[in-house]
């Protein structure tokens, strides 16, 4: 069985065992993971490489590092926030409260009471949660994890512990031993930039693709404000939530905005809601006269290509046998997106899956409860082979339905089933039908390109 709320073979006396656990990252996932681990009686140390909690919600306009597209700009460090960003789900669905901290519910944290608050409000909520839950005093700031290694031997208790090497603010590296490690370092820091095909009839671009294209290129990770795109013709690649938001925002200053996506086949052409926005199929090829050709046959002469194409999962501190991030950006093998079978239960991931460009903190909470209770022995996992069999079945299921491997961790449209499964493991109630309906309505508004849906939202009666 995958679930047991009684005793386990590892804890035959029925007393939950306390473990020393390292949590990597103090974003939303890391904070709630630490809270659940502490609730379960574990000793917790949270390693955070920056000087504040919040992860990607900690907006920073300052550049940090080279532009991944080589356009002479700069990538913004750990955050992918842009100045005007608001949540694309209402705060009730985001989970701005977390169970057990009712004092946080209904509060305004940074002067933004809107149903769809800006990033500063979310960050202020996370700071308040860290303080009021007691997690804040377990966080080490300016502590970057550089290596996580599994036990090497099996002869003494110390040899069964994981080693965590971390670099402090002074540059020195220290090594500590932990019983378990929970990885919560997010997945919005390493831009995923697809290679665009060059027009093979063009001798200057032959076999070079986007590397030698003469126009400007930028990834949404480096986007902050629309002003640099004033009076430009911009091609936005990608129709995720950030692509929709950014395209809509820059259309206010740009000459033209052209959105390219493989999802667009059913609505090509001019968008009625806007004076200067067009939808296209995916980019077919680029030319060195800065033309961009689309799969449906249209072409534009563009000033900038803006990639809203997501991110790669990135765990530079992990180098483990039988756990990889493949070329399709699939992390595996992972049992239910959380436990790698070979290293379970002492290595786990919280916050890996998404529901199609949206984030629900309740998902982090359920995964964290599961991890915390597995580590204490109150919930059991299948055998290693049993977990691998579930992973193989999931891959087979994806293949039968034509779901590409790059969508391994995208839960749509099965997100409710996943959250209900997690809830069952830890004895929590299933997701309310009302919240499911609210989520589905919000997602439909995201794809509608209607920028005003957030301000017209009225809770259960949305419009």
């Amino acid at each position: 069985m995958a679930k047991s709320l009684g005793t386990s073979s590892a804890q035959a006396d029925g007393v939950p065992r306390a473990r020393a656990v390292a949590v990597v990252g103090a974003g939303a996932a890391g904070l709630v993971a630490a809270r659940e681990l502490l609730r379960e009686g574990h000793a917790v140390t949270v390693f955070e490489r920056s000087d504040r909690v919040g992860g990607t919600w900690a907006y920073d306009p300052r550049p940090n590092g080279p532009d991944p597209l080589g356009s002479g700009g700069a990538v913004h460090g750990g955050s992918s926030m842009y100045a005007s960003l608001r949540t694309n789900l209402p705060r009730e669905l985001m989970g701005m409260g977390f169970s057990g901290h009712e004092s946080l519910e209904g509060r305004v944290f940074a002067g933004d009471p809107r149903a769809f608050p800006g990033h500063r409000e979310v960050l202020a909520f996370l700071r308040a949660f860290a303080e009021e839950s007691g997690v804040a005093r377990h966080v080490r700031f300016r502590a970057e994890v550089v290596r996580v290694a599994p036990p090497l031997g099996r002869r003494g208790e110390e040899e069964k512990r994981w080693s965590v090497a971390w670099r402090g603010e002074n540059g020195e590296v220290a090594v500590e031993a932990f019983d378990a490690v929970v990885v919560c370092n997010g997945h919005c820091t390493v831009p995923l930039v697809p290679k665009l095909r060059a027009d093979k009839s063009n001798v200057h671009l032959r076999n070079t693709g986007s590397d030698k294209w003469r126009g400007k290129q930028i990834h949404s990770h480096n986007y902050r404000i629309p002003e640099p795109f004033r009076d430009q013709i911009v091609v936005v690649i990608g129709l995720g939530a950030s692509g929709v938001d950014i395209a809509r925002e820059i259309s206010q200053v740009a000459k033209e905005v052209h959105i390219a996506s493989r999802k667009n086949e059913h609505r090509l052409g001019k968008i009625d809601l806007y004076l200067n926005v067009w939808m296209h199929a995916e980019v077919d090829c680029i030319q060195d006269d800065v033309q961009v050709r689309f799969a449906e046959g249209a072409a534009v002469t563009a000033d900038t290509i803006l990639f809203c194409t997501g991110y790669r999962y990135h765990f530079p501190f992990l180098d483990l046998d039988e756990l990889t991030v493949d070329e399709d950006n699939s992390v595996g093998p992972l049992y239910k997106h959380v436990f790698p079978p070979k290293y379970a239960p002492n290595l786990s991931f919280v916050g890996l899956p998404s529901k199609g460009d949206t984030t629900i903190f309740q998902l982090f909470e359920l995964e964290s409860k599961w991890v915390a209770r597995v580590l204490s022995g109150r919930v059991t996992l299948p055998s290693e082979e049993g977990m691998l069999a579930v992973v193989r079945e999931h891959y087979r299921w994806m293949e039968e339905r034509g779901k590409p491997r790059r969508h391994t961790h995208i839960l749509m449209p099965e997100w409710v089933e996943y959250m209900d499964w997690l809830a069952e493991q830890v004895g929590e109630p299933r997701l309310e039908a009302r919240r499911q309906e609210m989520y589905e309505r919000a997602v439909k508004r995201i794809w509608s390109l209607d920028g005003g849906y957030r301000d017209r939202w009225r809770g259960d009666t949305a419009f």
Side-chain angles (χ1 to χ4, degrees):
M1 292 178 63
K3 177 178 78 101
S4 171
L5 292 176
T7 61
S8 69
S9 59
Q11 199 65 27
D13 58 4
V15 179
R17 57 175 181 255
R19 314 291 296 277
V21 185
V23 175
V24 183
L31 293 176
V32 74
R35 193 276 302 266
E36 292 303 328
L37 289 162
L38 290 168
R39 278 180 162 181
E40 197 66 12
H42 302 297
V44 178
T45 302
V46 182
F47 294 90
E48 170 54 46
R49 68 178 183 177
S50 75
D51 61 357
R52 53 182 172 170
V53 302
T56 195
W57 292 99
Y59 174 75
D60 188 349
R62 296 170 299 174
N64 179 17
D67 190 316
L69 293 165
S71 58
V75 162
H76 298 265
S79 176
S80 298
M81 296 289 108
Y82 39 95
S84 65
L85 184 140
R86 294 171 63 181
T87 64
N88 51 34
L89 295 177
R91 64 172 68 213
E92 179 184 356
L93 279 184
M94 288 284 294
M96 290 181 66
F98 290 127
S99 65
H101 289 274
E102 285 73 18
S103 64
L104 297 175
E105 294 180 3
R107 279 169 52 183
V108 177
F109 301 92
D112 185 354
R114 295 174 296 180
F116 294 77
H119 55 79
R120 291 174 182 82
E121 179 74 12
V122 179
L123 178 61
F125 155 69
L126 292 173
R127 286 174 172 167
F129 171 74
E131 291 292 337
E132 297 186 24
S133 67
V135 168
R137 62 178 174 267
H138 295 269
V139 181
R140 291 185 193 170
F141 295 106
R142 298 291 188 187
E144 179 183 7
V145 173
V146 294
R147 185 170 184 269
V148 171
L152 296 177
R154 298 186 178 279
R155 288 183 297 172
E157 182 61 31
E158 287 300 311
E159 292 180 306
K160 293 184 179 180
R161 306 185 84 195
W162 287 70
S163 66
V164 175
W166 60 279
R167 180 184 295 112
E169 192 170 4
N170 61 5
E172 295 183 4
V173 175
V175 180
E176 296 180 47
F178 292 89
D179 298 309
V181 178
V182 184
V183 178
C184 308
N185 68 325
H187 44 83
C188 293
T189 56
V190 178
L192 196 161
V193 182
K195 199 81 165 177
L196 298 182
R197 186 178 72 87
D199 182 353
K200 297 304 181 183
S201 65
N202 188 312
V203 67
H204 300 295
L205 272 177
R206 192 170 296 156
N207 299 322
T208 62
S210 54
D211 293 345
K212 301 299 181 182
W213 191 69
R214 293 189 300 168
K216 297 177 183 177
Q217 299 178 74
I218 182 176
H219 190 276
S220 60
H221 182 69
N222 208 31
Y223 175 82
R224 289 299 184 269
I225 57 176
E227 187 58 33
F229 303 93
R230 181 168 295 278
D231 300 325
Q232 291 189 6
I233 297 176
V234 182
V235 173
V236 175
I237 299 179
L239 194 62
S242 63
V244 170
D245 258 2
I246 293 172
R248 185 169 53 234
E249 181 169 74
I250 65 176
S251 72
Q252 299 170 25
V253 300
K255 182 179 179 181
E256 296 177 8
V257 176
H258 298 263
I259 303 173
S261 171
R262 62 173 62 91
K263 303 176 185 177
N264 282 351
E265 288 82 358
H266 64 292
R267 53 175 179 178
L268 300 177
K270 179 76 169 50
I271 302 300
D272 292 337
L273 288 172
Y274 301 92
L275 296 174
N276 59 344
V277 180
W278 286 260
M279 284 285 199
H280 300 276
E282 60 188 324
V283 172
D284 176 57
C285 67
I286 55 176
Q287 299 176 248
D288 70 346
D289 59 358
V290 294
Q291 274 215 338
V292 177
R293 295 191 175 277
F294 303 99
E296 83 275 14
V300 298
T301 299
D303 298 290
T304 298
I305 296 176
L306 201 165
F307 291 86
C308 297
T309 45
Y311 298 84
R312 285 197 61 80
Y313 292 105
H314 188 57
F315 313 105
F317 47 84
L318 288 177
D319 184 12
L320 303 173
D321 295 335
E322 299 180 38
L323 180 65
T324 62
V325 181
D326 64 24
E327 61 183 11
D328 291 313
N329 203 31
S330 172
V331 185
L334 284 182
Y335 176 63
K336 299 295 183 178
H337 308 285
V338 174
F339 289 103
K342 180 175 180 178
Y343 302 103
N346 296 326
L347 178 66
S348 57
F349 296 79
V350 169
L352 221 61
S354 71
K355 287 159 290 302
D357 301 302
T358 60
T359 298
I360 296 181
F361 290 168
Q362 186 182 357
L363 172 65
F364 301 162
E365 187 170 13
L366 288 172
E367 288 182 337
S368 297
K369 287 178 186 290
W370 186 35
V371 169
R373 296 183 190 187
V374 166
L375 288 176
S376 69
R378 290 208 295 147
V379 174
T380 58
L381 294 173
S383 66
E384 179 179 342
E385 183 51 45
M387 287 187 279
L388 284 170
V390 171
V391 174
R392 288 192 289 266
E393 173 61 23
H394 179 62
Y395 291 156
R396 185 192 64 78
W397 178 90
M398 288 177 57
E399 186 174 356
E400 286 181 351
R401 286 158 179 78
K403 191 173 182 179
R405 188 66 172 259
R406 66 179 181 275
H407 290 174
T408 297
H409 307 293
I410 295 178
L411 298 180
M412 292 295 284
E414 299 84 20
W415 70 282
V416 174
E417 288 85 348
Y418 179 68
M419 293 186 71
D420 284 347
W421 185 91
L422 289 171
E424 182 183 0
Q425 306 312 298
V426 296
E428 293 285 326
R430 298 164 74 89
L431 193 67
E432 300 172 55
R434 178 183 66 86
R435 292 170 68 86
Q436 295 179 33
E437 182 184 357
M438 190 184 301
Y439 177 84
E440 299 295 347
R441 286 192 283 113
V443 169
K444 287 180 181 178
R445 303 313 301 174
I446 293 171
W447 307 137
S448 73
L449 298 182
D450 176 8
Y453 80 93
R454 293 176 174 94
D455 294 321
R456 295 196 303 273
W457 187 270
R458 295 292 183 273
D460 291 343
T461 56
F463 299 100

